[in-house]
Amino acid sequence: MDTLTKQRRVWKEEFWQNPWDQGGLAVVSIFIVMVLMLMMFATVFGALLPLEKVDQLDES
């Protein structure tokens, strides 16, 4: 059991020392954040009525 713990610790240390792994993690994180922001943007502005429709509803 002790060797398994040591192997995990070594793997984690190696991961954070490799700049390519850190860069990949940053790119994936930025992509996920960008997709979530675009979904939020589309939801907020898709829920609002366009000004033409608001004017037509007021005149009726």
Side-chain angles (χ1 to χ4, degrees):
M1 188 68 166
D2 188 39
T3 58
L4 183 61
T5 307
K6 284 182 182 179
Q7 287 176 348
R8 284 185 181 176
R9 190 177 315 129
V10 169
W11 179 81
K12 287 180 183 179
E13 290 172 4
E14 288 177 2
F15 178 82
W16 290 111
Q17 290 174 357
N18 188 351
W20 285 100
D21 289 337
Q22 292 176 353
L25 185 63
V27 167
V28 169
S29 300
I30 290 171
F31 178 76
I32 290 172
V33 168
M34 184 179 66
V35 168
L36 291 174
M37 293 286 285
L38 286 172
M39 288 173 57
M40 185 177 69
F41 181 81
T43 303
V44 167
F45 289 103
L48 299 176
L49 290 174
L51 292 177
E52 296 92 27
K53 288 185 179 179
V54 171
D55 292 338
Q56 290 174 355
L57 292 175
D58 290 340
E59 293 175 359
S60 299

